[in-house]
Amino acid sequence: MFSGLKDETVGRLPGQVAGQQFLIQDCENCNIYIFDHSATITIDDCTNCVIFLGPVKGSVFFRNCRDCKCTLACQQFRVRDCRKLEVFLCCATQPIIESSTNIKFGCFQWYYPELAFQFKDAGLSIFNNTWSNVHDFTPVSGELNWSLLPEDAVVQDHVPLPTTEELKAVRVATEANRSIVPVSRGQRPKSSDESCLVVLFAGDYTIANARKLIDEMVGKGFFLVQTKEVSMKAEDAQRVFGEKAPDFLPLLNKGPVIALEFNGDGAVEGCQLIVNEIFNGTKMFVSESKETASGDVDSFYNFADIQMGI
């Protein structure tokens, strides 16, 4: 635990927490970095702190905190009796706030070499991130207790990198294209009425292929809206892929699929070109046309959200 600290920079290096529970309480004006995976983390009564939390297998719970800026990844995220938090979040389930005001959310954006393995150790998928799908248990009529940070918010301006020699040994990068978690637009308004669904099937290079496709599409000016990693059964495939389902049924037994939604004028054609050019020979589902694409997106994510209990 870190307890009762003031004006300090403290942390834990990779391997030092190793999946245990952690508690942060009564800290003021501190920079706190947990560069490891953990079981659950509770943060109580902290003021004006910067906090980074590596992947948390269970819940992260903020209680009675104010003026804190955080980057973190977890299965469940909950805030109660807090005000003025900024959170760059990766969360597998719907983030929840309660009796709190001025809570701002952005998409998790962070890299260091051990982080990908820590996500695995915590049982979290980098593709299951509902960071912007926030539920407020105690809404106030006419007021909004939470909002999204500006899309061009620079993570380091909010959660700066550590300055102590010990913690600087962790090789952190915060550029969007290096982030372990793909940076998605989430619930922000879409720039176009054209979206495209791509589904990648389990194999040796699925994660690398998904990353490559995201880099290519974003590089061409399209937006990544959301991502999902989920297991599919034959009847799910029938519903999502329609008459193309038989092509993909044998691939479903190999493991979960990864789905990506891209948005922007010409997204379907742009995506088809990249897939044919770079991933020729790799079986993927790509929306066939602009007309069918929004139906593809809706049917897949409706199924996935039900499957994941969101």
Side-chain angles (χ1 to χ4, degrees):
M1 85 163 51
F2 290 132
S3 180
L5 303 179
K6 189 169 183 182
D7 302 322
E8 289 191 53
T9 294
V10 293
R12 291 284 184 269
L13 295 172
Q16 291 185 337
V17 180
Q20 299 177 77
Q21 293 187 19
F22 209 87
L23 177 62
I24 301 169
Q25 63 183 22
D26 298 312
C27 294
E28 186 179 347
N29 297 327
C30 288
N31 288 13
I32 298 168
Y33 303 88
I34 309 292
F35 289 124
D36 206 359
H37 69 103
S38 56
T40 60
I41 295 188
T42 306
I43 298 132
D44 287 338
D45 303 297
C46 290
T47 303
N48 201 32
C49 290
V50 163
I51 299 170
F52 172 84
L53 305 177
V56 181
K57 188 180 185 107
S59 64
V60 171
F61 200 176
F62 279 81
R63 296 183 295 200
N64 200 33
C65 295
R66 61 187 175 84
D67 294 297
C68 292
K69 300 178 179 185
C70 328
T71 298
L72 62 101
C74 58
Q75 174 72 21
Q76 295 178 310
F77 179 76
R78 191 153 186 186
V79 171
R80 193 171 74 206
D81 298 320
C82 293
R83 61 188 171 89
K84 215 171 171 209
L85 302 187
E86 294 175 355
V87 187
F88 291 88
L89 180 64
C90 176
C91 187
T93 56
Q94 189 173 33
I96 289 170
I97 69 168
E98 185 179 351
S99 305
S100 299
T101 58
N102 203 3
I103 314 296
K104 296 183 178 179
F105 292 91
C107 183
F108 183 99
Q109 193 170 313
W110 204 270
Y111 167 87
Y112 51 88
E114 300 85 354
L115 189 52
F117 293 108
Q118 292 173 3
F119 265 87
K120 279 198 173 71
D121 289 338
L124 299 178
S125 167
I126 59 172
F127 296 103
N128 290 335
N129 185 10
T130 60
W131 66 271
S132 62
N133 184 18
V134 180
H135 179 68
D136 185 356
F137 259 134
T138 50
V140 179
S141 180
E143 292 178 32
L144 196 56
N145 293 321
W146 66 275
S147 60
L148 302 185
L149 286 159
E151 195 159 6
D152 58 1
V154 178
V155 177
Q156 260 178 264
D157 292 348
H158 301 259
V159 182
L161 303 193
T163 52
T164 63
E165 286 309 311
E166 182 195 26
L167 295 172
K168 273 161 71 174
V170 181
R171 301 200 313 278
V172 175
T174 60
E175 296 87 358
N177 63 348
R178 295 198 64 191
S179 177
I180 287 290
V181 174
V183 178
S184 59
R185 299 195 80 208
Q187 308 261 326
R188 298 184 194 281
K190 292 180 180 176
S191 61
S192 165
D193 60 3
E194 181 173 347
S195 277
C196 179
L197 176 72
V198 184
V199 179
L200 297 88
F201 298 90
D204 294 339
Y205 306 107
T206 312
I207 292 175
N209 285 344
R211 287 190 166 287
K212 176 74 173 159
L213 181 55
I214 291 167
D215 287 346
E216 291 287 334
M217 287 291 282
V218 170
K220 292 201 164 33
F222 299 107
F223 295 100
L224 179 66
V225 176
Q226 56 181 337
T227 63
K228 196 71 81 179
E229 183 172 10
V230 68
S231 296
M232 290 186 91
K233 300 190 188 78
E235 58 268 30
D236 305 323
Q238 209 71 51
R239 200 159 62 242
V240 174
F241 305 132
E243 59 193 34
K244 283 192 163 184
D247 295 350
F248 302 120
L249 289 178
L251 304 172
L252 298 180
N253 300 327
K254 294 183 178 178
V257 303
I258 293 171
L260 314 171
E261 179 192 351
F262 295 103
N263 183 262
D265 292 343
V268 172
E269 188 183 355
C271 197
Q272 288 171 348
L273 285 171
I274 290 168
V275 167
N276 292 336
E277 207 173 288
I278 298 178
F279 302 102
N280 200 358
T282 303
K283 216 156 204 191
M284 296 184 190
F285 172 85
V286 184
S287 293
E288 268 189 351
S289 68
K290 180 180 171 181
E291 290 68 38
T292 61
S294 61
D296 295 340
V297 169
D298 289 345
S299 58
F300 182 87
Y301 283 97
N302 287 342
F303 136 72
D305 287 348
I306 290 166
Q307 176 97 333
M308 300 180 74
I310 295 173

